[in-house]
């Protein structure tokens, strides 16, 4: 699917035309080995459900926290790649996860989750290093797919787990 769309740019008096191509079919993508300190593994959501690959311990914790809030949620790792042209360069972005739920618990809804949600997982201390095109990526992905993209951090997950302990 390829669409030309006008995206309003922040702090600007004009819009930039962007061609966005998304592939939303499930991908058979293998996660490459990381040269950093990431843990590479698979999260097992429960009996009879396929294991989900992850790139980092934080991604694994996020999957576990989501399943604790919404046990029937379907999670897919690196589900799609968004390709778009910005200033005559082709850019790509792949979200870490997509979560699909029949019913969205209030805690997840208050954090921006919808029935289908793309998720980027980052340590809180690395948020200041977000890609400069992040606002544009969020808008293009939402415009082309209708699905929100949210960021989950280690602080979000710690808050969720603390609420679970208090309950």
């Amino acid at each position: 699917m390829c669409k030309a769309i006008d995206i309003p740019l922040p702090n600007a008096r004009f819009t930039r035309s962007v061609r966005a191509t998304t592939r939303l079919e499930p991908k058979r993508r293998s996660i490459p080995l990381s040269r950093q300190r990431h843990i590479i593994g698979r999260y097992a959501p429960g009996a009879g459900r396929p294991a989900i690959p992850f790139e980092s311990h934080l991604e694994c914790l996020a999957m576990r926290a989501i399943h604790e809030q919404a046990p029937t949620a379907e999670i897919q790792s690196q589900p799609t790649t968004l390709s778009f042209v910005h200033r005559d360069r082709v850019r790509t972005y792949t979200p870490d996860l997509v979560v699909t739920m029949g019913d969205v618990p209030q805690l997840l809804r208050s954090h921006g989750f919808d029935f289908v949600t793309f998720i980027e997982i980052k340590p809180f201390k690395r948020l200041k290093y977000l890609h400069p095109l992040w606002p544009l990526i969020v808008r293009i992905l939402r415009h082309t797919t209708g699905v929100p993209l949210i960021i989950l951090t280690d602080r979000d997950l710690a808050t969720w787990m603390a609420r679970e302990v208090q309950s």
Side-chain angles (χ1 to χ4, degrees):
M1 167 194 314
C2 185
K3 294 182 183 179
I5 55 178
D6 287 327
I7 302 292
L9 298 175
N11 303 323
R13 294 185 184 150
F14 59 93
T15 60
R16 177 170 300 283
S17 184
V18 177
R19 284 193 326 269
T21 305
T22 56
R23 293 187 309 268
L24 293 178
E25 69 278 358
K27 295 170 63 174
R28 302 222 184 269
R29 178 177 177 162
S30 62
I31 299 173
L33 289 176
S34 174
R35 301 289 180 228
Q36 299 175 8
R37 295 179 300 171
H38 295 295
I39 298 170
I40 304 295
R42 294 185 173 274
Y43 169 74
R49 295 173 78 179
I52 307 162
F54 59 84
E55 290 181 304
S56 69
H57 182 65
L58 191 54
E59 282 186 20
C60 184
L61 288 177
M63 287 187 253
R64 191 177 98 208
I66 291 167
H67 273 133
E68 286 176 2
Q69 295 298 317
T72 60
E74 293 293 325
I75 299 176
Q76 186 180 356
S77 179
Q78 299 186 340
T80 190
T81 296
L82 171 70
S83 299
F84 60 99
V85 178
H86 180 262
R87 296 190 178 157
D88 298 325
R89 286 185 59 197
V90 175
R91 310 284 186 142
T92 60
Y93 168 73
T94 302
D96 291 324
L97 304 172
V98 67
V99 177
T100 306
M101 296 176 267
D103 185 34
V104 184
Q106 182 57 37
L107 177 64
L108 299 181
R109 187 170 297 283
S110 68
H111 200 79
F113 279 76
D114 205 345
F115 295 107
V116 179
T117 308
F118 290 117
I119 302 172
E120 180 68 24
I121 300 167
K122 292 270 184 245
F124 183 80
K125 66 183 180 183
R126 301 204 64 199
L127 284 181
K128 61 185 171 188
Y129 302 114
L130 266 180
H131 194 285
L133 293 178
W134 180 256
L136 184 62
I137 290 168
V138 170
R139 287 194 306 259
I140 292 172
L141 197 57
R142 180 65 180 231
H143 185 82
T144 59
T145 66
V147 176
L149 171 63
I150 63 169
I151 296 177
L152 284 182
T153 68
D154 47 349
R155 285 190 182 180
D156 297 322
L157 300 176
T159 301
W160 293 0
M161 290 177 187
R163 285 185 184 181
E164 284 296 313
V165 170
Q166 292 173 357
S167 298

